[in-house]
Amino acid sequence: MSHLSSPPPKHKGEHKGHGLPRGSERGSSSRDKDRSATVSSSVSMPAGGKPSRTSCPPSAPQKTPNRLIHEKSPYLLQHAYNPVDWYPWGQEAFDKAKKENKPVFLSVGYSTCHWCHMMEEESFQNEEIGRLLNEDFVSVKVDREERPDVDKVFMTFVQATSSGGGWPMNVWLTPSLQPFVGGTYFPPEDGLTRVGFRTVLTRIRDQWKQNKNTLLENSQRVTTALLARSEISVGDRQVPPSAATMNTRCFQQLDEGYDEEYGGFAEAPKFPTPVILNFLFSYWLSHRITQDGSRAQQMALHTLKMMANGGIRDHVGQGFHRYSTDRQWHIPHFEKMLYDQAQLSVVYSQAFQISGDEFYSDVAKGILQYVTRSLSHRSGGFYSAEDADSPPERGMKPKEGAFYVWTVKEVQQLLPEPVGGASEPLTTGQLLMKHYGLTEAGNINSTQDPKGELQGQNVLTVRYSLELTAARFGLDVEAVSTLLNAGLEKLFQARKHRPKAHLDSKMLAAWNGLMVSGFAVTGAVLGMDKLVTQATNGAKFLKRHMFDVASGRLKRACYAGTGGAVEHSNPPCWGFLEDYAFVVRGLLDLYEASQESSWLEWALRLQDTQDRLFWDSRGGGYFCSEADLGAGLPLRLKDDQDGAEPSANSVSAHNLLRLHGFTGHKDWMDKCVCLLTAFSERMRRVPVALPEMVRALSAQQQTLKQIVICGDPQGKDTKALVQCVHSVYIPNKVLILADGDPSSFLSRQLPFLGTLRRVEDRATAYIFENQACSMPITDPCELRKLLHQ
């Protein structure tokens, strides 16, 4: 099929490469780069990007829905009125393909994906293209967030046989589900340098009829090669690699790619990459007295500050957009993802622990304020995402960023009040525009707005420090801060009247687990009980709506129904490895924040289920999906990259270590060592692709601290010691509350807790490390000193 190809352009940040983890495999925005589609049996196609329109009813009333109308996924429902005879992923479609001897056309995306919407509007709403698909293919539509296993398998094929990957992902399969052609976004018609979707369909149809045997042979050969290439196994290795060596190599690779001026680790597009920032903080902690350690801390803190000052942060409504289209963090792709908010709230809280600078804690609180307001279900769960596109005015076609951008005229009208005491005539609007870099012509470069949708518009980005802005107008710094905050609040209230972007109200167990961690860790670090309560409500939601008591299994997704109801697909889609790993992490974080042992007990039960369903007893490590759930897929993979979200195997390595620390069960430590050994070759080859796993490797080889607080859970002295522990950055620890009850869950797990005594009937802390125990400590200041050593 190589005659279908045109040379693919290079698109940074659109695939899971072997370089820095970028979280970019979701594609890029409509303003990011030109997309020219290519296709071949070695598949290539520039990645499509991100979200846009809301779920559309039929544009013509006489249209009748296809079978996707019966699905729950917001993404599938967006295609329910296409003239394409779509099937959801399932046996009905595969049986039809075999019976009629037709290739399967698999199209994968998600509901807030801009380029998915583009292809839906241009191609899947096209009657002629619909007729071609219906006559010659069996068309299957998949929400990648519902079925990450399907997405990972065929994205592996696309990335292995092309220059990149992204969404929408379009792959042609044999009736036995082996891929032979694939790509991402296709324009509907041929261009000067690109092949149109209609042409691709006709050529694949002709090749299938004329050279089917060749296609089948090539498909089998590619599948066999992918099986060998994707194998991750202990093999003949006995132990994992040296943590010191992997740490050094990972840091060096990050240092080489670091942007000294603006922070981050690439030119553009730039992604937040919390996994990298987590690694740098851990590296700093273990190398504090070295130059490299100081450098790691500076890299992470500078990156976080530049991100928070940039347009990637929503200064009006809080929260972070998906990524920046430039190296300055100025013009974002405006989609907001739950998993970004979850991870960034933790990283900014850790930055506050390390630096003591309230700038970082304020950012963390702002993120959670946004999630509470915009991404929270009233029963405690968390929605998946908000779209990048929205109508500038009601009834207009959606445009990217319309909800978030401002003209100078709008700001002047909203903020006309004069500022008293300034060195020159000044309004609040002029002060805000100066500080946030708004201009009459707009501050969005035309190269970032090829369609001209954002002419004259501005993205708020901090141009000056408060001190410089105050000095410029002869004002007090505190007065400037108050004026700017009041101005932002007025913009926020005005923005409420704009048409909102589409909300993906699907709730995923994995991302909800990450968000439980976000609220729990931030609440614990900042001593904000209300945030811990929100984490608790999130965990209750997971147990009530996404956990099957009879089988002990998690469900992958549930959906917001009418009137605040929670709905499920029938039959339910069961959880994947990431659901278990991220929920277990959330529950462990929640236990440490709340000292409610019931969450720890549930975490242990979920870990047992995860081990039963996903553990590879021959090769070590965890498969991404259950064997039964992935039946028919040509590959059963183990995710080997920390990207936008950490690899579930990386998180599982940490979970196993922590569970061993909480229970003393040797089996979990053995599993952790086996997992790290299985990923040895990947870590040795490209440690920077697995920074979260390198952190776990370090924790395993350095051993965890067990910090035990003996005391009354409600006592002020107990709470003071617990808050002292939370105030210090200690990534490799477990925090245990021993309340003196010998029948408690933790006392049964760790009998030595019964031997620990309170000193003079006061809450007392003990630190266990390297098989040694500290002297008992009752003074929070003394405890803090010891924890800082």
Side-chain angles (χ1 to χ4, degrees):
M1 298 291 290
S2 59
H3 61 279
L4 293 177
S5 299
S6 59
K10 293 290 183 182
H11 297 297
K12 293 183 181 179
E14 294 173 4
H15 58 90
K16 294 183 183 177
H18 296 304
L20 302 182
R22 306 165 58 94
S24 48
E25 58 272 22
R26 285 182 150 262
S28 300
S29 84
S30 58
R31 291 168 288 98
D32 186 23
K33 289 182 175 67
D34 176 44
R35 305 280 186 237
S36 58
T38 64
V39 61
S40 74
S41 55
S42 55
V43 185
S44 74
M45 216 118 306
K50 313 225 150 244
S52 88
R53 286 86 185 141
T54 59
S55 178
C56 346
S59 54
Q62 72 272 18
K63 286 190 177 179
T64 55
N66 56 48
R67 58 178 58 76
L68 296 186
I69 197 67
H70 302 296
E71 297 298 310
K72 298 290 186 185
S73 158
Y75 177 63
L76 298 190
L77 289 171
Q78 286 170 350
H79 294 77
Y81 288 90
N82 295 162
V84 180
D85 186 20
W86 289 116
Y87 284 78
W89 180 267
Q91 199 58 46
E92 184 184 4
F94 311 147
D95 289 345
K96 178 181 172 69
K98 290 176 182 175
K99 181 180 178 182
E100 299 180 9
N101 193 24
K102 291 179 179 177
V104 173
F105 168 62
L106 172 67
S107 184
V108 181
Y110 56 103
S111 91
T112 55
C113 165
H114 176 85
W115 285 94
C116 300
H117 296 313
M118 287 292 290
M119 193 159 178
E120 193 265 339
E121 291 173 8
E122 295 171 346
S123 293
F124 300 143
Q125 289 184 22
N126 183 292
E127 296 285 345
E128 175 62 20
I129 287 176
R131 184 185 61 78
L132 282 169
L133 284 168
N134 296 342
E135 288 180 358
D136 298 302
F137 304 91
V138 175
S139 299
V140 175
K141 178 59 73 172
V142 167
D143 182 337
R144 69 172 298 268
E145 293 166 355
E146 281 190 328
R147 291 300 303 257
D149 57 333
V150 175
D151 180 63
K152 283 185 175 79
V153 165
F154 295 110
M155 187 62 74
T156 299
F157 169 73
V158 171
Q159 290 174 329
T161 54
S162 75
S163 61
W167 295 275
M169 175 176 66
N170 297 296
V171 187
W172 285 262
L173 319 174
T174 68
S176 59
L177 305 186
Q178 292 184 326
F180 61 91
V181 175
T184 55
Y185 165 77
F186 293 89
E189 306 296 343
D190 296 348
L192 290 175
T193 59
R194 57 190 187 179
V195 180
F197 188 54
R198 187 196 310 268
T199 299
V200 171
L201 289 175
T202 57
R203 292 185 182 177
I204 292 176
R205 175 197 63 193
D206 294 344
Q207 287 292 314
W208 182 259
K209 290 177 178 178
Q210 297 165 15
N211 298 308
K212 184 173 67 174
N213 289 337
T214 302
L215 288 179
L216 292 173
E217 290 170 7
N218 290 341
S219 174
Q220 181 59 53
R221 189 162 55 248
V222 169
T223 301
T224 301
L226 288 176
L227 278 167
R229 176 174 165 174
S230 62
E231 184 179 5
I232 293 173
S233 175
V234 169
D236 56 3
R237 290 178 287 272
Q238 301 298 314
V239 294
S242 158
T245 301
M246 293 302 98
N247 261 291
T248 300
R249 289 188 57 206
C250 189
F251 171 73
Q252 289 172 346
Q253 290 177 350
L254 289 171
D255 193 25
E256 289 168 5
Y258 179 64
D259 183 338
E260 296 284 354
E261 187 173 3
Y262 296 105
F265 302 90
E267 289 293 318
K270 267 186 176 170
F271 291 80
T273 56
V275 289
I276 289 179
L277 302 170
N278 283 333
F279 169 82
L280 290 172
F281 282 150
S282 291
Y283 187 85
W284 160 76
L285 188 65
S286 57
H287 296 77
R288 275 177 295 181
I289 60 173
T290 70
Q291 188 174 354
D292 281 351
S294 298
R295 167 77 169 162
Q297 184 200 58
Q298 179 269 329
M299 288 162 64
L301 291 177
H302 180 59
T303 296
L304 286 167
K305 185 153 282 191
M306 296 304 289
M307 283 167 47
N309 284 334
I312 191 174
R313 180 183 174 203
D314 179 2
H315 294 275
V316 174
Q318 298 303 313
F320 279 78
H321 300 295
R322 184 63 198 91
Y323 62 84
S324 173
T325 63
D326 53 67
R327 67 179 284 242
Q328 294 87 359
W329 304 104
H330 179 198
I331 307 301
H333 170 49
F334 292 91
E335 173 188 19
K336 287 181 173 180
M337 304 301 302
L338 181 67
Y339 59 74
D340 283 324
Q341 317 310 320
Q343 295 176 89
L344 286 171
S345 61
V346 171
V347 177
Y348 276 99
S349 298
Q350 292 171 339
F352 170 68
Q353 284 179 309
I354 291 165
S355 68
D357 187 342
E358 290 185 0
F359 172 87
Y360 298 107
S361 59
D362 287 344
V363 175
K365 286 187 283 188
I367 292 170
L368 298 184
Q369 181 186 40
Y370 159 70
V371 172
T372 300
R373 183 182 65 245
S374 300
L375 294 180
S376 294
H377 188 275
R378 70 185 189 186
S379 297
F382 303 103
Y383 303 132
S384 294
E386 283 192 307
D387 210 325
D389 299 13
S390 61
E393 295 179 22
R394 300 194 188 283
M396 296 179 66
K397 183 178 180 180
K399 294 183 179 180
E400 185 167 6
F403 184 72
Y404 299 101
V405 294
W406 300 89
T407 64
V408 163
K409 182 179 179 181
E410 285 176 305
V411 175
Q412 288 174 331
Q413 289 176 342
L414 288 166
L415 305 173
E417 307 85 359
V419 176
S423 57
E424 60 186 77
L426 181 72
T427 66
T428 305
Q430 289 170 327
L431 177 70
L432 186 142
M433 290 187 292
K434 183 70 174 179
H435 188 73
Y436 288 103
L438 279 68
T439 68
E440 192 77 44
N443 64 11
I444 300 171
N445 192 294
S446 60
T447 59
Q448 295 171 289
D449 182 29
K451 295 183 178 180
E453 292 181 333
L454 299 174
Q455 286 182 356
Q457 301 284 352
N458 293 271
V459 173
L460 272 63
T461 182
V462 176
R463 291 299 191 192
Y464 307 100
S465 66
L466 285 172
E467 290 76 12
L468 280 174
T469 300
R472 167 69 178 77
F473 296 109
L475 295 168
D476 179 72
V477 171
E478 194 169 324
V480 168
S481 177
T482 301
L483 286 166
L484 290 174
N485 287 334
L488 292 174
E489 176 61 24
K490 285 190 175 181
L491 296 188
F492 176 73
Q493 295 301 327
R495 202 173 75 175
K496 285 182 176 179
H497 298 289
R498 295 177 175 179
K500 288 201 70 176
H502 159 64
L503 171 70
D504 186 333
S505 58
K506 176 174 71 268
M507 291 170 276
L508 301 172
W511 297 0
N512 273 252
L514 290 175
M515 202 66 247
V516 168
S517 286
F519 276 103
V521 172
T522 305
V525 169
L526 303 184
M528 296 179 67
D529 290 342
K530 69 176 184 179
L531 299 183
V532 178
T533 298
Q534 282 181 270
T536 301
N537 291 339
K540 288 178 178 177
F541 179 90
L542 282 163
K543 197 163 191 179
R544 186 182 309 119
H545 295 290
M546 307 190 79
F547 177 63
D548 181 67
V549 177
S551 65
R553 295 160 80 194
L554 287 171
K555 298 173 184 176
R556 170 65 176 174
C558 62
Y559 309 85
T562 56
V566 177
E567 299 179 350
H568 295 85
S569 58
N570 187 21
C573 183
W574 296 108
F576 297 91
L577 174 64
E578 64 185 44
D579 296 299
Y580 289 84
F582 295 175
V583 170
V584 168
R585 170 188 271 188
L587 295 174
L588 297 180
D589 289 337
L590 180 55
Y591 165 72
E592 293 196 352
S594 67
Q595 284 81 55
E596 290 287 341
S597 63
S598 59
W599 300 121
L600 182 58
E601 292 184 59
W602 191 30
L604 265 67
R605 290 201 299 273
L606 288 179
Q607 187 64 51
D608 282 334
T609 304
Q610 175 183 320
D611 293 347
R612 174 170 54 85
L613 297 176
F614 303 100
W615 181 254
D616 180 0
S617 57
R618 296 196 332 182
Y622 294 98
F623 290 110
C624 294
S625 59
E626 294 183 38
D628 293 342
L629 189 61
L633 288 172
L635 303 172
R636 192 180 182 207
L637 299 174
K638 300 174 186 174
D639 197 7
D640 64 348
Q641 179 159 346
D642 296 319
E645 305 155 62
S647 156
N649 270 286
S650 297
V651 173
S652 293
H654 285 279
N655 290 347
L656 291 166
L657 282 174
R658 294 172 75 182
L659 287 167
H660 175 259
F662 281 121
T663 67
H665 293 179
K666 184 174 180 294
D667 178 58
W668 278 325
M669 176 61 77
D670 292 343
K671 269 192 166 62
C672 178
V673 173
C674 184
L675 185 158
L676 294 170
T677 305
F679 282 83
S680 292
E681 186 56 36
R682 176 67 162 156
M683 279 193 282
R684 284 195 183 98
R685 195 168 66 249
V686 201
V688 75
L690 282 166
E692 189 73 5
M693 190 170 288
V694 173
R695 284 206 319 120
L697 180 69
S698 299
Q700 187 272 320
Q701 294 185 7
Q702 294 170 9
T703 73
L704 294 183
K705 280 185 171 75
Q706 283 177 309
I707 304 172
V708 182
I709 310 292
C710 298
D712 176 2
Q714 303 307 316
K716 289 184 178 179
D717 52 352
T718 302
K719 291 182 177 180
L721 291 176
V722 169
Q723 188 53 44
C724 172
V725 175
H726 288 315
S727 71
V728 181
Y729 176 68
I730 321 167
N732 301 332
K733 64 108 172 49
V734 292
L735 173 61
I736 297 169
L737 179 64
D739 60 5
D741 179 2
S743 64
S744 71
F745 174 74
L746 276 165
S747 293
R748 297 196 308 273
Q749 302 294 319
L750 298 170
F752 78 87
L753 295 178
T755 68
L756 303 179
R757 297 288 177 264
R758 305 182 198 182
V759 174
E760 298 177 356
D761 205 32
R762 297 163 62 190
T764 305
Y766 297 85
I767 300 176
F768 295 84
E769 189 173 18
N770 294 320
Q771 299 181 327
C773 178
S774 71
M775 294 294 290
I777 307 161
T778 58
D779 180 6
C781 294
E782 289 299 316
L783 178 59
R784 184 174 286 104
K785 285 181 186 176
L786 188 58
L787 292 174
H788 274 300
Q789 288 179 3

